[in-house]
Amino acid sequence: MSAGALDTPHQPPGPLAELIRDFRRNTGAVVGLSVIVGLIVLAVAANIVAPYDPDATNQAAFLKPPFWQAGGSFAHLLGTDAIGRDMLSRLIFGARLSLLIGAAVVTLSVITGTVLGLIAGYVRGATEIAIMRLMDIILTLPSLLLAIVIVAILGPGIMNALLAVAIVQLPHYVRIARAAVITEVAKDYVTAARVSGAGSVRLLIKEVLPNCAAPLIVQATLGISTAILDAAALGFLGLGAQPPTPEWGTMLADAREFILRAWWVVTLPGLMILLTVLAFNVAGDGLRDALDPKLKQ
Amino acid sequence: MCGPGRRTTPPPLSFMLRFLLTRVSLIVPTFIGITLLVFVLVRLIPGDPIETMAGERGIDATLHERLRHEYGFDRPVIVQYGLYLQRLIHGDLGRSIVTHKPVIEEFASLFPATIELSVCAILFALCIGIPVGVLAAVRRNSIFDHGVMALTLTGYSMPIFWWGLLLILLFSVQLGWTPVSGHIAFIYFIEPKTGFLLIDTLLAGNTAAFWSAVGHLVLPAIVLGTVPLAVIARMTRSAMLEVLGEDYIRTARAKGLSNARVVAVHAFRNALIPIVTVIGLQVGVLFTGAILTETIFSWPGVGKWLIEGIGRRDYPVLQGGTLLIGAIIMTVNLLVDLTYGLINPRIRHTR
């Protein structure tokens, strides 16, 4: 075999290239990702894209229907709500809020959960039992109920809702990280690293953590959708973001009394929630299939 | 290794007992943990509990001291927790601050409505989810299969509080087929015997009231059943796909059995195990959904009661309700585990 045979034509694709290739085969996942990218662009550019300030009221236009309906106008493409705020602008700013909530919740619970899981799996003993029992309790109680109880104690508001949803999500990440530590620590390469003088923290971060990166990433993607859904549910129950914040769930709660008169104030915010959650679920499924074929259903 | 005779003998009683004891020993610490969590959470609420109970009128200092002593708030926290557990064992979950009725009584009077709704929701989910999942698996990669997968993913992602509003908009407002909210029309008064309105109206022989109750139940049951329906359909599909790839299915087909018989008898029975597990896991989902569904449809169950409890800062209700719901979910999970052990001999024999 000549040295040239090892050149590009036979070189296997790098892990990232392989991931992208596998992901792109899944049409649904690509569509989901495109929707997510679109939403992110909208959220980032909300100030430029949105035609109005989301909180600005227009005294002359209460409950105006969208432009294609009789009585609607191009001034407010998707109509206005009960106090004359532009629906389109509120939906766009709502995207910013929901994506921020999703990202913040997942960041918080992935970091906390992974650290707890690594500690539980590495230290074992009473610490592990304490951590895992606590996670069992969190898993046993219905997620929304636990989040409601936490918010009831901390007081309603967007930050407390965010914290509550993050706590409810913890167990998934703890379990993944702990399982990875327990299987990996017994392996020779970890022993080798330890013999060469690697400290515990280095061992966990450099050797163990990469082994559970794939399931953690998949869980985190799916976790964003759950976080957005739960935060919207809390908003809907009046326990999350408070009016006039343009949060989709809170907007729905405000719109409930106008269900007989103005379908758009009820339909549109929910449609945005469904679209966003669906996009993250589809993309998460695609990512799971691409990252870890073993997990494929 | 099991001898051939071993398979036909029923599981020894001692074995099932041990299985039960292991499971119970696992849930007892979790339950104690929940009591501790609920106890601590309520202690974290800012403000003095006696003053909260007294409400806005305030309370004079001597009565305040006496009540503090009566409720044990002057004792060390660990003693307070002990007292709380002691009352708990006697079935005392405290009294609602608003209605002054025992929390457990209020829960018991509202719980049947939640069960009624949840049972109907899960029946709706099973009656549609299982056949649809089986068909999707049998016709893998057909348009039907892709349609089912897309629809179930949508159902799984559904914000059900919005879904409920949409259905009200369509069926109650536009078409006028169903009532907007409530449990039964106000004109009927039904003496509660079982607490389940569907049964009570029939016991009273009042058919008109029964149909009114059914009409009120349809939309909430569909809303609450949507997420379980999606999960059950997807689970049924993947369990069936796995089983249909097994060698014994090929053998059954090779014997010349009809496709329907292979699917129904050989494949479906074996796919049931993961399906039963997933149904058990839906109990938590149902409670979460019940909180939202009952709020939207003004359904007089425990979910709406808890949300109202928060609005009124009625902490005993919140504390007791959470504990009871946790206990119910744990009991159901235990039952599912036991059924699982009964229907799947492999689980019994490997432990």
Side-chain angles (χ1 to χ4, degrees), chain A residues 91-271:
Chain A
L91 291 175
I92 292 173
F93 277 92
R96 173 184 282 186
L97 207 60
S98 284
L99 291 178
L100 272 179
I101 291 174
V105 164
V106 168
T107 314
L108 200 63
S109 51
V110 166
I111 293 176
T112 323
T114 310
V115 169
L116 282 176
L118 290 177
I119 292 173
Y122 193 71
V123 179
R124 309 303 290 263
T127 320
E128 181 188 24
I129 293 174
I131 294 176
M132 296 321 285
R133 280 282 155 253
L134 187 62
M135 294 306 134
D136 279 351
I137 293 166
I138 297 178
L139 273 182
T140 303
L141 293 171
S143 60
L144 188 63
L145 176 62
L146 186 59
I148 287 172
V149 172
I150 297 172
V151 172
I153 287 158
L154 298 175
I158 201 161
M159 290 311 282
N160 292 341
L162 199 151
L163 194 65
V165 176
I167 293 175
V168 167
Q169 290 207 353
L170 271 182
H172 304 288
Y173 307 108
V174 175
R175 287 191 163 185
I176 291 172
R178 171 178 166 268
V181 182
I182 290 176
T183 45
E184 298 303 320
V185 158
K187 289 188 180 164
D188 287 345
Y189 76 95
V190 177
T191 318
R194 185 180 291 147
V195 169
S196 21
S200 297
V201 175
R202 190 191 157 84
L203 210 63
L204 286 177
I205 292 175
K206 294 283 277 191
E207 311 295 338
V208 175
L209 199 55
N211 283 293
C212 55
L216 278 179
I217 292 170
V218 171
Q219 185 63 48
T221 317
L222 297 173
I224 294 180
S225 70
T226 323
I228 292 176
L229 207 50
D230 283 356
L234 285 175
F236 180 74
L237 292 171
L239 297 167
Q242 297 297 305
T245 318
E247 201 271 328
W248 294 332
T250 313
M251 287 168 72
L252 267 178
D254 283 351
R256 269 181 75 186
E257 52 184 305
F258 303 105
I259 189 167
L260 297 172
R261 290 158 53 198
W263 61 267
W264 57 96
V265 290
V266 180
T267 324
L268 299 175
L271 200 61

Side-chain angles (χ1 to χ4, degrees), chain B residues 175-199:
Chain B
L175 298 170
W177 290 358
T178 53
V180 174
S181 65
H183 201 177
I184 191 164
F186 287 116
I187 53 164
Y188 302 110
F189 177 76
I190 301 296
E191 188 70 37
K193 284 188 185 123
T194 56
F196 303 104
L197 259 185
L198 288 185
I199 300 174

